[in-house]
Amino acid sequence: MDFKEFIENGEKLYLPNLSVDMVIIAFHQGQIKCLLLQIGDKWLLPGGYILRTESVEDATVRILRERTGLKDPHFKFLSVFGGEDRKFTEEWRQFLENNDIHFTEGCWLNDRFVTLAHYSLVDFEKTQPVLGDIDAAFQWFNMDDLPNMWMDHKDIVLTAKERLKEDIKQEQLTYNLLPNEFTMPQLHQLHEAILGEPLDRSRFQKKMIASGIFERLPKLKKESPGRNPYQYRVKKA
Amino acid sequence: MDFKEFIENGEKLYLPNLSVDMVIIAFHQGQIKCLLLQIGDKWLLPGGYILRTESVEDATVRILRERTGLKDPHFKFLSVFGGEDRKFTEEWRQFLENNDIHFTEGCWLNDRFVTLAHYSLVDFEKTQPVLGDIDAAFQWFNMDDLPNMWMDHKDIVLTAKERLKEDIKQEQLTYNLLPNEFTMPQLHQLHEAILGEPLDRSRFQKKMIASGIFERLPKLKKESPGRNPYQYRVKKA
DNA sequence: ATGATTTGTGTCACTTTGCCACAAAAAAAA
DNA sequence: TTTTTTTTGTGGCAAAGTGACACAAATCAT
């Protein structure tokens, strides 16, 4: 289905006025990044719509897979964004004009949308972003340094950033951001990056090991200076 | 607007395929209860739809006010329920037949609905439930002893029950379930009822006082046996 | 008065947290 | 080769927090 058909017939396939947006988060070079797509001169979150024949959860997984190529991606519900004026009329108009596509005022995409925002933690190395039909580019942006974005999409990213801070105090989910095998210093740096503050190395290590969800691999890994760290991986049931 | 007009013209006023459901929770006689409405011989959560001209949050407050008469009710987002088969066709058919209302197969209410579930903590004494046009009755049900309910509404209530357990460990929000002025034993019993397990009285009291959000009122309150407890209220900014 | 009941608060061992130190390992420098 | 520098693993200890219990104070019933 090309974009023109999508504009014309999308409302038969998808639930109207409802979208799913994804804050796809990765860890690279010591920084927390999120994946954005470019349409026109602005950036927006990867997202999509819910087929009338699929559940919200299925739609979320489908959208994630389409964009990241990952088979079984991590994701978690973030929040509803449901302002009464949440329309993208101006954004669509600009894009359609620039691409010589006929602009229909009453198009379903021009209506108000309530979005179900999710966030997803992915392994930077394993993620191969895929462009949609109309996306000009993708790029990983530092979460502290976001570009011009559509409407409230920046708010959504910032909400995800705050949410992640809360969540990692409770659950162990950050390993989704690392390769299968990782070291404690890596995990430590990751947590510091998420929380934006220094964490005591000693206690961090003890706490992680005490959590019991990781198993130490006897292997060591060789690198530059210093002592070689152990590697760990998540215990399998 | 009567119900017939609501069936026929509702889709012009409201966002389609999207609803708001409320788990309205109160504390009465030592037990956690939630407010349900009766339609036909089954029970369901108070809920409603989102006007095209109002935000999701405004819709939530409006629905809560309509049902409870409270000016400024507490509420919190709970979860999205978005299964692909989430339709109330059978439930509506039964109700409409029993009430001699013409049944339209293609009615917007018969379509699939994604619901945005919220929960609300209210003061039992201050809450004056109001019946909707089509509700046969309302009743406070013990959260552990729910009647036959529409579709997944029981799941929603149970999700709220679990969520409340998590939330009170983090934030102080249970005072919404008590009168403005309350005693520590009352708050203690409330927490025990929510968590379903005994809590040490001494530590509970210290912790609550240490949280700093309550102020002790010098007054005492007289009752049956035992020593008279202090009263507390939430500190005002 | 006496006793039962309820409420407020103290104690004390135990655990968790925050902070620092130091030893072990490995590359880099001398 | 020896020394220095960098990084990682682990231990210790005071301070704060937690859990379980004890006991005193206040009030009603007898």
Side-chain angles (χ1 to χ4, degrees):
Chain A
M1 183 165 69
D2 68 355
F3 187 63
K4 201 180 164 191
E5 196 186 330
F6 175 71
I7 287 184
E8 286 166 8
N9 294 323
E11 63 187 322
K12 290 173 193 161
L13 284 171
Y14 297 100
L15 294 179
N17 307 293
L18 197 54
S19 59
V20 171
D21 282 308
M22 305 295 319
V23 184
I24 300 173
I25 298 173
F27 182 57
H28 185 56
Q29 294 178 336
Q31 301 208 296
I32 307 296
K33 315 220 163 186
C34 77
L35 182 66
L36 300 181
L37 300 170
Q38 191 175 32
I39 294 185
D41 55 352
K42 285 193 176 179
W43 296 81
L44 72 165
L45 291 170
Y49 306 97
I50 300 156
L51 287 170
R52 290 179 180 273
T53 56
E54 72 184 348
S55 70
V56 170
E57 190 164 320
D58 289 345
T60 306
V61 175
R62 175 177 56 75
I63 291 165
L64 257 177
R65 284 188 186 146
E66 283 172 5
R67 279 287 175 275
T68 63
L70 299 170
K71 277 186 193 172
D72 189 25
H74 160 275
F75 69 97
K76 222 178 146 183
F77 179 78
L78 178 61
S79 183
V80 177
F81 289 77
E84 66 267 36
D85 293 326
R86 203 171 175 286
K87 296 184 180 189
F88 295 92
T89 317
E90 189 51 32
E91 284 88 346
W92 284 126
R93 198 186 54 72
Q94 267 191 29
F95 168 73
L96 295 174
E97 273 182 9
N98 291 343
N99 288 271
D100 281 331
I101 303 177
H102 177 61
F103 176 64
T104 322
E105 187 71 49
C107 172
W108 67 292
L109 285 175
N110 267 335
D111 204 351
R112 169 185 170 193
F113 273 84
V114 171
T115 199
L116 306 176
H118 296 72
Y119 73 86
S120 170
L121 306 182
V122 303
D123 177 350
F124 184 86
E125 297 300 338
K126 284 187 191 152
T127 306
Q128 310 285 332
V130 178
L131 287 179
D133 290 341
I134 63 174
D135 307 317
F138 73 82
Q139 192 174 320
W140 290 98
F141 284 89
N142 194 316
M143 299 263 282
D144 300 318
D145 187 21
L146 297 167
N148 251 344
M149 295 178 70
W150 278 32
M151 255 258 290
D152 56 0
H153 279 201
K154 191 176 284 189
D155 296 333
I156 300 178
V157 175
L158 295 177
T159 303
K161 191 182 152 199
E162 290 309 307
R163 175 66 159 283
L164 188 52
K165 277 192 199 177
E166 303 301 318
D167 282 3
I168 71 166
K169 289 174 190 164
Q170 299 262 293
E171 325 170 49
Q172 224 52 279
L173 36 74
T174 46
Y175 56 78
N176 291 292
L177 293 168
L178 293 173
N180 281 0
E181 301 182 355
F182 54 89
T183 68
M184 277 300 153
Q186 278 180 293
L187 193 61
H188 178 238
Q189 283 166 27
L190 171 55
H191 277 238
E192 286 192 334
I194 290 173
L195 294 172
E197 61 185 21
L199 285 177
D200 182 73
R201 215 167 37 84
S202 168
R203 232 186 56 69
F204 178 81
Q205 202 141 325
K206 282 179 212 162
K207 204 169 170 179
M208 288 301 125
I209 292 172
S211 79
I213 65 166
F214 303 121
E215 60 182 340
R216 174 181 284 184
L217 302 178
K219 326 171 190 173
L220 302 185
K221 194 180 162 189
K222 291 185 178 179
E223 268 174 46
S224 39
R227 181 172 174 173
N228 283 342
Y230 290 97
Q231 289 199 271
Y232 292 84
R233 71 175 168 210
V234 180
K235 271 188 194 168
K236 290 171 188 174
Chain B
M1 183 166 68
D2 67 358
F3 188 63
K4 201 179 164 191
E5 196 185 330
F6 174 72
I7 286 185
E8 286 166 8
N9 293 322
E11 63 187 323
K12 291 174 192 160
L13 286 171
Y14 298 100
L15 294 179
N17 306 295
L18 198 53
S19 59
V20 171
D21 282 308
M22 305 297 317
V23 184
I24 300 173
I25 298 173
F27 181 57
H28 185 55
Q29 294 178 335
Q31 301 206 298
I32 307 297
K33 315 219 164 185
C34 79
L35 182 65
L36 300 182
L37 301 171
Q38 191 175 30
I39 292 185
D41 56 351
K42 286 193 175 179
W43 296 81
L44 73 166
L45 291 169
Y49 306 97
I50 301 157
L51 287 170
R52 289 179 179 274
T53 55
E54 73 184 347
S55 70
V56 170
E57 191 163 322
D58 288 347
T60 305
V61 176
R62 175 177 54 76
I63 291 164
L64 257 177
R65 283 187 185 145
E66 284 172 6
R67 280 287 174 273
T68 64
L70 298 168
K71 278 186 192 171
D72 189 24
H74 160 275
F75 70 97
K76 221 178 147 183
F77 179 78
L78 177 61
S79 183
V80 177
F81 289 78
E84 66 266 37
D85 293 324
R86 202 172 175 286
K87 296 184 180 188
F88 295 92
T89 317
E90 188 53 30
E91 283 88 345
W92 285 125
R93 197 186 55 71
Q94 267 192 28
F95 168 73
L96 296 174
E97 273 183 8
N98 291 343
N99 288 270
D100 281 331
I101 303 178
H102 178 60
F103 176 64
T104 323
E105 188 70 48
C107 173
W108 67 293
L109 285 177
N110 268 335
D111 203 351
R112 168 185 170 194
F113 272 84
V114 172
T115 198
L116 306 175
H118 295 72
Y119 73 85
S120 171
L121 305 182
V122 303
D123 178 350
F124 185 87
E125 297 300 336
K126 284 186 191 152
T127 305
Q128 310 284 331
V130 178
L131 286 179
D133 290 342
I134 62 173
D135 308 316
F138 73 81
Q139 192 175 321
W140 291 98
F141 283 91
N142 194 315
M143 300 263 280
D144 300 317
D145 186 20
L146 298 167
N148 251 344
M149 294 178 70
W150 278 32
M151 254 256 291
D152 56 0
H153 280 202
K154 191 175 284 189
D155 295 333
I156 300 177
V157 175
L158 295 178
T159 303
K161 192 182 153 199
E162 290 310 306
R163 174 65 158 283
L164 189 51
K165 277 192 198 175
E166 302 302 318
D167 283 2
I168 71 166
K169 289 175 190 165
Q170 299 261 295
E171 328 169 48
Q172 222 53 277
L173 37 73
T174 45
Y175 55 78
N176 291 291
L177 292 168
L178 293 174
N180 280 0
E181 301 182 354
F182 54 88
T183 67
M184 278 300 153
Q186 277 181 294
L187 194 60
H188 178 238
Q189 284 165 28
L190 171 55
H191 277 237
E192 286 192 334
I194 290 174
L195 295 173
E197 60 185 21
L199 285 176
D200 182 74
R201 221 167 33 86
S202 168
R203 231 183 52 71
F204 178 81
Q205 202 141 326
K206 282 181 211 157
K207 205 170 173 180
M208 289 300 126
I209 292 171
S211 78
I213 67 166
F214 303 121
E215 61 182 340
R216 174 181 284 183
L217 302 179
K219 327 171 190 172
L220 303 183
K221 194 179 162 191
K222 291 186 180 178
E223 269 172 45
S224 39
R227 181 172 173 174
N228 283 343
Y230 289 97
Q231 289 199 271
Y232 291 84
R233 69 175 170 212
V234 179
K235 272 187 193 168
K236 291 171 187 175

